[in-house]
Short mmCIF file of all heavy atoms in Angstrom, two decimals:
data_model
loop_
_atom_site.label_atom_id
_atom_site.label_comp_id
_atom_site.label_asym_id
_atom_site.label_seq_id
_atom_site.Cartn_x
_atom_site.Cartn_y
_atom_site.Cartn_z
N VAL V 65 -14.97 -10.70 20.33
CA VAL V 65 -14.17 -10.43 19.14
C VAL V 65 -13.99 -8.94 18.95
O VAL V 65 -12.88 -8.46 18.65
CB VAL V 65 -14.83 -11.07 17.90
CG1 VAL V 65 -14.18 -10.56 16.62
CG2 VAL V 65 -14.73 -12.59 17.97
N ARG V 93 -4.60 10.82 15.23
CA ARG V 93 -5.06 9.44 15.38
C ARG V 93 -6.58 9.38 15.28
O ARG V 93 -7.27 10.31 15.65
CB ARG V 93 -4.63 8.88 16.74
CG ARG V 93 -3.14 8.70 16.89
CD ARG V 93 -2.76 8.19 18.27
NE ARG V 93 -2.72 9.26 19.27
CZ ARG V 93 -2.37 9.07 20.54
NH1 ARG V 93 -2.07 7.87 20.97
NH2 ARG V 93 -2.35 10.08 21.38
N PRO V 142 -2.29 7.54 -4.29
CA PRO V 142 -1.19 6.58 -4.34
C PRO V 142 -1.07 5.85 -3.02
O PRO V 142 -1.33 6.42 -1.94
CB PRO V 142 0.03 7.48 -4.59
CG PRO V 142 -0.36 8.83 -4.08
CD PRO V 142 -1.84 8.94 -4.36
N THR V 143 -0.69 4.60 -3.09
CA THR V 143 -0.59 3.76 -1.90
C THR V 143 0.81 3.21 -1.78
O THR V 143 1.32 2.58 -2.71
CB THR V 143 -1.59 2.59 -1.97
OG1 THR V 143 -2.92 3.11 -2.13
CG2 THR V 143 -1.53 1.75 -0.72
N ASN V 242 15.48 0.89 -3.52
CA ASN V 242 14.77 0.70 -2.25
C ASN V 242 13.35 1.21 -2.29
O ASN V 242 12.66 1.23 -1.26
CB ASN V 242 15.54 1.35 -1.10
CG ASN V 242 16.10 2.71 -1.45
OD1 ASN V 242 15.42 3.51 -2.07
ND2 ASN V 242 17.35 2.95 -1.07
#
Side-chain angles (χ1 to χ4, degrees):
V65 168
R93 293 178 279 182
T143 303
N242 42 43

